[in-house]
Amino acid sequence: MSTIVYVPRDAAALAAGADAVAAAIERVAAARNAEVTIVRNGSRGLLWLEPLVEVQSEHGRIGYGPVALDDVPSLFAAGFLKGDPHPLCLGPVEELPQFRLQQRLTFARCGLGDPLAPMAWRGLQEARKLSPEAIVQQVLDSGLRGRGGAAFPAGIKWRTVAATPSKQKYVVCNADEGDSGTFADRMLLEGDPFLLIEGLAIAALAVGASKGFVYIRSEYPHAIATFEAALAEARKAGVLGQGFDIEARVGGGSYVCGEETAMLESLEGKRGIVRAKPPLPAISGLFGQPTVINNVLTFAAVPTILERGADFYQHFGTGRSRGTLPFQLAGNVKQGGLFELPFGLTLREVVFDIGGGTASGRPVKAIQVGGPLGAYVPESQWDLPLDYDAYTAQGLVLGHGGIVVHDDTADMAQLARFAMEFCAVESCGKCTPCRIGSTRGVEVIDRIVANHNRPQQVRLLRDLCDTMVHGSLCAMGGMTPFPVLSALDHYPQDFGLVDESAKAA
């Protein structure tokens, strides 16, 4: 009888040598006349354990990791095909503390098996039993808010598109995941692409769209290949191609194309520049037609809502932040990875109880939440509940769920400078506050650090940030001041300031 061995095909596992490990397992098994069936699954999200090899044994599904090429012979010698002990043996992966703390709804299937194995499409089946209005109402009742950063109620956007008369409507998924420290979209595209296809198909039923697009960043070749293969399988299954189809489009590497209107410009074959609003994309979006635009995690949450009901989804979370968010823990952290958690936990719990603190073993100094445009969160705010409204009230953002940890060696002035420099490089150039303000911001921070009339330059930096926040056309320029001001406010010593002078400025 053949033993099933799971070796991830996720890009993170591949970078850690998963292909070589899979080949070695096949080679050693053949030499030992052991029958094995290797399944290339998605990642479980426990990235510090990659390559995470799992074996289906009589004791259950037993994990071993991180497995290096040289570990394979000793695994066979120890009897890992039977789930026997070995220094790398983790026991059942679902029983690991970092896994048991999770509430896996969106990522429930990710890592369990072959991402392209046939599935039941239960959410879509339930949606087909309902009227378009009833589908929209389920999404509204669930409390689902956009997971791309803006946190706008998904059901309101869908209702607007559904109510706008047009012969042609579109659903567009923004998979241009460019935020530092984020990888949830990539993991889902590689580990459970059918879930995204199902979410898009349900959205199309709800609003009357006949065409869908998924805009994937060019830096994700494995995700692109897996998603293209999944589209072909979905067409064979009859999910696509009969009144609704999806096309994958690859971005050109522009960060600002993560903004929805710049993405639309790119999809139309134009330079990715932000559009002024109104009109809203829900009324006049792709090619001037009503368009639903959500990101990967938003669409991927919908099948669960339709399959299990809005009340089930509402059960998770807190306040107006319902459901779960896949938090992505990166940077200087001991146990980085993806952890799908209900809203309401604290940053301290995520970074220390799940992440295990810093990889360097040094104290945590700052934690950036919400991508490169998110604020640096000081220790005084680590016990805030991780939900949209609690963070917004403090001038913080959850964004896409990215969390990047820095230890006490981090120079916050240089990180603030990087935020301005990043904006200057990635700005689409359409509006002056972003295009010019970010360039001037780099210069002003350099003068502060060099102590060239420091108090006046601090005042100038604050004025400049105010102009960018209130005058920029989109979040690119409007949010770049968040990491800059939070670094200046909470870590003035890194700018050569003492607390009193920073506050006086």
Side-chain angles (χ1 to χ4, degrees):
M1 181 178 176
S2 183
T3 301
I4 300 175
V5 179
Y6 299 89
V7 183
R9 54 185 282 179
D10 179 87
L14 297 180
D19 278 348
V21 169
I25 290 172
E26 284 189 323
R27 185 170 58 251
V28 175
R32 287 173 165 264
N33 294 318
E35 292 187 32
V36 299
T37 300
I38 294 182
V39 175
R40 302 306 299 272
N41 57 314
S43 175
R44 294 279 205 154
L46 311 178
L47 299 187
W48 78 97
L49 296 175
E50 296 290 9
L52 173 57
V53 175
E54 295 179 78
V55 177
Q56 190 66 55
S57 73
E58 62 181 15
H59 307 296
R61 187 161 160 168
I62 306 300
Y64 297 82
V67 177
L69 182 63
D70 294 341
D71 296 322
V72 174
S74 67
L75 284 171
F76 275 90
F80 95 114
L81 292 183
K82 296 183 291 183
D84 288 348
H86 181 275
L88 297 178
C89 184
L90 303 165
V93 172
E94 289 89 349
E95 296 301 316
L96 293 174
Q98 297 84 0
F99 208 91
R100 294 184 67 182
L101 286 169
Q102 299 185 54
Q103 292 285 351
R104 289 214 158 191
L105 303 182
T106 302
F107 281 81
R109 292 198 304 255
C110 194
L112 292 183
D114 183 349
L116 298 175
M119 59 169 284
W121 308 95
R122 293 189 182 92
L124 182 58
Q125 289 178 15
E126 291 300 318
R128 285 171 172 166
K129 299 174 184 177
L130 303 174
S131 67
E133 295 80 9
I135 298 173
V136 172
Q137 194 60 49
Q138 283 283 301
V139 177
L140 280 167
D141 292 344
S142 71
L144 176 66
R145 296 168 70 173
R147 299 296 193 247
F152 188 81
I156 293 178
K157 188 180 292 188
W158 290 26
R159 185 174 62 190
T160 303
V161 175
T164 303
S166 179
K167 293 182 179 179
Q168 176 67 61
K169 298 180 182 181
Y170 297 102
V171 291
V172 175
C173 177
N174 188 343
D176 192 55
E177 186 178 48
D179 283 357
S180 53
T182 61
F183 40 86
D185 292 357
R186 178 192 60 74
M187 271 187 57
L188 195 103
L189 287 166
E190 294 179 10
D192 192 4
F194 290 138
L195 188 67
L196 175 58
I197 293 171
E198 188 175 19
L200 284 160
I202 292 170
L205 284 176
V207 305
S210 60
K211 183 72 174 180
F213 291 92
V214 178
Y215 188 86
I216 309 175
R217 68 189 310 233
S218 59
E219 295 88 345
Y220 283 175
H222 300 290
I224 294 166
T226 302
F227 190 70
E228 290 277 18
L231 289 176
E233 292 299 319
R235 293 185 188 105
K236 290 178 185 177
V239 172
L240 299 178
Q242 300 176 5
F244 176 68
D245 207 350
I246 298 171
E247 182 179 338
R249 290 285 184 89
V250 179
S254 168
Y255 179 79
V256 81
C257 283
E259 196 278 335
E260 61 180 11
T261 62
M263 178 189 65
L264 293 179
E265 291 285 291
S266 180
L267 281 171
E268 292 178 7
K270 305 171 188 174
R271 182 181 167 203
I273 296 180
V274 174
R275 296 177 183 175
K277 301 175 188 177
L280 296 171
I283 296 170
S284 178
L286 187 63
F287 301 113
Q289 304 303 317
T291 306
V292 169
I293 305 174
N294 286 122
N295 87 323
V296 172
L297 299 181
T298 311
F299 281 120
V302 171
T304 299
I305 293 168
L306 269 294
E307 178 186 350
R308 308 188 71 170
D311 289 343
F312 170 82
Y313 196 79
Q314 271 271 1
H315 174 72
F316 300 93
T318 181
R320 294 176 57 247
S321 301
R322 309 313 305 177
T324 60
L325 182 64
F327 290 96
Q328 300 125 85
L329 194 52
N332 191 337
V333 66
K334 186 176 181 181
Q335 295 165 174
L338 181 141
F339 309 96
E340 186 174 355
L341 305 165
F343 291 98
L345 274 77
T346 68
L347 197 55
R348 193 183 301 274
E349 290 174 302
V350 174
V351 171
F352 292 96
D353 295 349
I354 296 177
T358 62
S360 63
R362 299 182 66 89
V364 174
K365 180 174 183 177
I367 305 171
Q368 188 174 32
V369 181
L373 308 183
Y376 290 101
V377 184
E379 185 172 3
S380 61
Q381 295 176 323
W382 291 352
D383 294 312
L384 281 174
L386 285 162
D387 75 67
Y388 294 121
D389 299 321
Y391 263 55
T392 299
Q394 298 297 322
L396 307 171
V397 293
L398 283 185
H400 187 50
I403 299 173
V404 179
V405 180
H406 298 272
D407 73 8
D408 62 351
T409 63
D411 185 332
M412 302 308 294
Q414 290 305 308
L415 288 173
R417 185 188 190 277
F418 172 76
M420 284 292 190
E421 184 181 30
F422 178 80
C423 181
V425 171
E426 294 292 344
S427 173
C428 77
K430 186 167 185 176
C431 69
T432 303
C434 177
R435 182 184 72 250
I436 303 300
S438 54
T439 301
R440 297 290 87 86
V442 172
E443 298 167 358
V444 173
I445 292 173
D446 284 344
R447 289 197 291 269
I448 292 172
V449 173
N451 198 16
H452 291 169
N453 198 357
R454 185 174 281 154
Q456 181 183 6
Q457 296 301 317
V458 170
R459 289 193 293 270
L460 180 59
L461 181 60
R462 292 190 183 279
D463 287 346
L464 178 63
C465 287
D466 183 73
T467 299
M468 292 178 69
V469 168
H470 295 102
S472 297
L473 197 56
C474 80
M476 181 80 233
M479 290 179 61
T480 292
F482 287 17
V484 176
L485 292 175
S486 60
L488 184 64
D489 290 340
H490 301 300
Y491 309 95
Q493 65 278 5
D494 287 11
F495 294 80
L497 302 164
V498 293
D499 293 333
E500 291 75 18
S501 64
K503 292 174 182 175

